[in-house]
Each structure stands twice: as structure tokens, then as C-alpha cells.
Amino acid sequence: MAIPHFLVVGAGIVGAACVRELARAGNRVTVIDSGPGAGLQGGTAAGMGHVVVNEGDTDTLRLCLRGRELWRSDAPPMSERDSYWETGTLWIAEDEETLLQLEGAQKKLESVGVVAERIDGRQLIKLEPALAPDLAGGLRVPHDGVIYAPTAAREFLNASPKVTCHYGVSVKNIGDGIVELTDGRNFEGEAVIVATGISVLSILGEAGARLAEKVSLYPREGHLAITARGTRILDHHIVEAGYQKAAHSTSQAGSKAGSVACAILPRQTDQLCLGSSRRPGEPGPVDPNMMMRVIDRCERFVPSVKTLPILRTWTGARAATSDGKPLLGPVPGLQRTWIAAGFEGLGITQAPAAAELIRQRIMGESCTLDPWPWDPARPYKDSSALTKQENDHA
Ligand SMILES: Cc1cc2nc3c(=O)[nH]c(=O)nc-3n(C[C@H](O)[C@H](O)[C@H](O)COP(=O)(O)OP(=O)(O)OC[C@H]3O[C@@H](n4cnc5c(N)ncnc54)[C@H](O)[C@@H]3O)c2cc1C
């Protein structure tokens, strides 16, 4: 009997995770990406690598939690330097009011089985002596961690049998089970999984245009910096509690000035990754004012950050949907074409869970999670129709 053949377009962290899921289920997989290799373009190349179970809506929380479980138990084999590192997240409150919000976050996390411990100001300094002494307290989520996504994407493919990769080739259009390249070649498979991040709807022809009438996909730029080696003065991933607000806002227009919140990620390479900002639009060259705002905000929580040498700064885009949820499932109107995109700032965390769900649905298996909240055929709430509270916390 012929081995089923699947096509995966896009070898970012999500496409690469889908490849592994399909390949180890015994299928033949062809991967197509316009970049020079897996994980080297798009959001995956730019992301921070925080694997985080976030206090978003319950669906987001479940997808993050399953993603984290799979990173912890089923990451591809990688060197110690690149593999999952359980740093834990320390959500930090500057004042009593924010500390109260963290209490709410703790309840929500615990309701889905996530371990989260409240920490007072004195304990904070004991845990992380580099923190500012005047912070009110925090919430520690011990099983969150860090993964270096470009390497993980590459290793998802290396760990997969029966995979053929075509790099440096661009896809022009995708029909029902058919992929047309810009160089005139066509590929056909049992099914196509389209995981091209921000460009996904524009290459899906009429079906993409119909879907774009219901949900929009737009870029949110972020600025990050990495310090030189020998500067890892923190053990936890430090995030200010207000970060949630910016991360889960579904407001498409956003403010042109953008928002900035402190997120500092320790890396196994003895470095710190400093972030982060959000503003609407494609990533441009590094804007020194925005970069300085990010570093100033990090300094508020970790005062000595400003003295650390910066090795590199960069920008990247998160692919955000107008209802704040990824698109994960069959393209409405097509039988053999599936979409996996729109993960905003959680794609690295959620990639293994998203890929598992795609495989389970394609192979007709029962699903670990209810797939409907992310199905492209779901009913959409336009962001302008969301209440203020939903815009802030959705
Ligand atoms: C600044 C920043 C910080 C972030 N931090 C985190 C974090 O800490 N934790 C977290 O979980 N997530 C984080 N993210 C989000 C995460 O990086 C993304 O959600 C994730 O990488 C998206 O992966 P993807 O595979 O869907 O898309 P991408 O990584 O964008 O991959 C898409 C792939 O498709 C290819 N492609 C596109 N168009 C075509 C075409 N026409 N033909 C062929 N190939 C094509 C591209 O070359 C690319 O390789 C961050 C993102 C940014 C920008």
C-alpha cells in the first residue's frame, strides 16, 4: 500500500512541529519554505523562546498548557544548551493593585491544574537578588521554561523519517491539496498544511479571501535585545504583571507609539534576552527610541540591566488574529487544505499542541483538546465588537 504523502508549507516552529507529527505517524512529508532552512525566517527566527502558560482566556490557557507539557516530555533531541530549560516564570507586581491582579491570575491558572505560587516582596529578593528592592511581590509558575526555537524547528525535521525539504522556494498559491510554487512547479498531496505565519491568508486563493472577510491576520512588531555572554544575573524568566494586557489585546489598530512591558529571559548561553514591545505593523529596522523604552522598562525591574553589554538588537512580527486566537483546522470550503497560523506571541509555546491537534484531526483520531475554539469555521467576534474588558484581558 502506498504511504500517504502530506505537504507542509512553512518550516517555522509550527510547520516543523506538524511535520514531525505527520512523519512519525508513518506518513511521507514534503516541506516547502522560502527561507534557507527551518526556523530561520519569520516569527520563529525573531521570538524570545519563553514557554509560558499564560493567564489569557481559558482556551489559550489550555493550548499553552498542552504545549508546555509536550515541550517538557516530548521535545526533539537537542544539545543541553538548546533543550527545554525549566526556569519558571516570575510575574512581578510593582504595587499592591497589580499584586491583587496576580491573585486572580493564580486562581485562573490553578483552575486548569497549573502550579503557581504567590511570593511576597522579601521572598522575591531572596529568589532573584538582582530585582529592584521596592517591588510588591509576584507569582511564580515553576514549570514554565525556555526553548531556542530555531534549533527546535530544525531538530523537529531532523528527528522525522521520510521527510523531503525544499528550501529557498516560494509558494504562490494553494488550492485543495495542491501547492503552486512561484517557479512554476506544482506539488500535490493527501492534504496540505499551511503554516506560513503572517502570509497565510494571502496564498490561499479564493478560500483565503473568503476567510479574510471574517477574520483578519495582521503583524505586530516587537523589539528585542540580547546581552553578551557572562551576563545571566537571573535564574527565572522575569515578566511584569502588566505584560498580559499588551499581549492579549485584540485591538488591531493599537497605538502607533506601541506598548512596552518588561520581559527578561535567561538563556543557557549565559545571556539575557530583553523585551519587549508591541506595535501594529511589519518589523522595520530597529528603532533606537523603542529599544531604549524596552531597556528602560527592564531597568525598572532589574536595575543593573542598563550596565550589561548588549550584543545584538532586532525586530520581528507576531501574526495576530482579530479575535486573538490562532487559526487551526481545515480551511472552510476546502477538503484537503489545513491552516495553522496566527499564534501572536505564543506560537513557540503552543506549537507542539497545535501540531498534535492537526495530526489528530487529519488522521481521524480523538483529540486531546476540543479543537473548535481554534477552528477556522468558528464564529468570529470582530475586535471592534469586543468589550473594553475583553480587549484588555482576552
Ligand atoms: C519579538 C517576538 C517575541 C516572541 N516571543 C515569544 C515567546 O517568548 N514565546 C512564544 O511562545 N512565542 C513568542 N513569539 C511568537 C512566536 O515566535 C511565533 O508565534 C511563532 O514563531 C510563529 O511560528 P510559525 O511557524 O507560525 O510562523 P513563522 O515562524 O513566521 O514561520 C513561517 C514560515 O513560513 C515561511 N513562508 C512564509 N511565506 C511563504 C511562502 N509564500 N512560501 C514558502 N514559505 C513561506 C517563512 O519563511 C517561515 O519560515 C514571539 C514573537 C516575536 C516577534
Side-chain angles (χ1 to χ4, degrees), residues 9-15 32-35 37 39-52 169-172 195-199 203 220 222-224 237 276 314 316-319 340-350:
V9 182
I13 195 71
V14 174
I32 300 160
D33 196 290
S34 53
L40 297 178
Q41 285 195 161
T44 303
M48 210 175 203
H50 186 201
V51 174
V52 54
V169 285
S170 236
V171 168
K172 184 170 76 179
T196 58
I198 198 72
S199 70
I203 55 174
R220 265 204 193 132
H223 275 65
L224 296 178
H237 186 132
S276 127
W314 70 95
R318 309 165 179 96
F343 295 85
E344 220 276 351
L346 291 170
I348 297 168
T349 304
Q350 295 175 341

Side-chain angles (χ1 to χ4, degrees), residues 44-255:
T44 303
M48 210 175 203
H50 186 201
V51 174
V52 54
V53 179
N54 224 321
E55 188 255 333
D57 64 86
T58 313
D59 300 329
T60 303
L61 208 54
R62 292 217 166 92
L63 200 58
C64 286
L65 181 56
R66 183 63 185 152
R68 191 183 76 177
E69 271 167 20
L70 291 171
W71 278 122
R72 293 177 78 207
S73 64
D74 193 26
M78 284 187 276
S79 70
E80 205 179 315
R81 204 190 72 170
D82 296 314
S83 53
Y84 187 72
W85 180 29
E86 202 160 280
T87 56
T89 305
L90 258 185
W91 294 95
I92 309 284
E94 253 185 304
D95 49 39
E96 293 303 322
E97 194 189 329
T98 328
L99 198 56
L100 271 178
Q101 286 169 19
L102 284 182
E103 272 182 37
Q106 181 186 24
K107 283 194 191 115
K108 201 159 185 183
L109 288 168
E110 286 178 345
S111 73
V112 293
V114 178
V115 178
E117 309 149 356
R118 243 173 303 153
I119 309 280
D120 66 26
R122 272 188 317 165
Q123 288 170 304
L124 263 188
I125 294 290
K126 276 198 189 146
L127 271 179
E128 290 290 0
L131 283 171
D134 61 337
L135 299 166
L139 186 68
R140 180 167 177 265
V141 185
H143 301 310
D144 283 354
V146 175
I147 195 88
Y148 188 59
T151 308
R154 186 189 70 211
E155 295 308 322
F156 270 137
L157 299 192
N158 286 344
S160 305
K162 305 191 203 81
V163 174
T164 309
C165 301
H166 297 272
Y167 294 125
V169 285
S170 236
V171 168
K172 184 170 76 179
N173 190 46
I174 298 176
D176 207 3
I178 297 176
V179 172
E180 290 172 43
L181 303 188
T182 49
D183 65 11
R185 280 181 294 164
N186 283 357
F187 288 90
E188 185 160 4
E190 242 5 74
V192 185
I193 294 89
V194 194
T196 58
I198 198 72
S199 70
V200 88
L201 295 178
S202 65
I203 55 174
L204 277 167
E206 280 178 23
R210 279 195 303 274
L211 192 52
E213 284 169 13
K214 298 185 176 157
V215 57
S216 40
L217 196 60
Y218 51 93
R220 265 204 193 132
E221 183 217 61
H223 275 65
L224 296 178
I226 188 137
T227 59
R229 294 195 184 218
T231 57
R232 187 167 64 74
I233 54 172
L234 298 164
D235 289 326
H236 291 81
H237 186 132
I238 302 295
V239 195
E240 72 168 288
Y243 187 88
Q244 300 290 76
K245 199 167 170 175
H248 298 293
S249 162
T250 50
S251 158
Q252 179 167 349
S255 134

Side-chain angles (χ1 to χ4, degrees), residues 279-314:
R279 69 180 166 190
E282 292 287 353
V286 170
D287 165 355
N289 290 330
M290 180 59 94
M291 201 65 253
M292 198 38 76
R293 281 176 64 196
V294 169
I295 292 172
D296 284 347
R297 194 62 194 154
C298 290
E299 188 196 14
R300 160 68 189 99
F301 292 85
V302 181
S304 51
V305 147
K306 225 166 189 168
T307 65
L308 303 179
I310 302 284
L311 200 62
R312 188 168 79 88
T313 55
W314 70 95

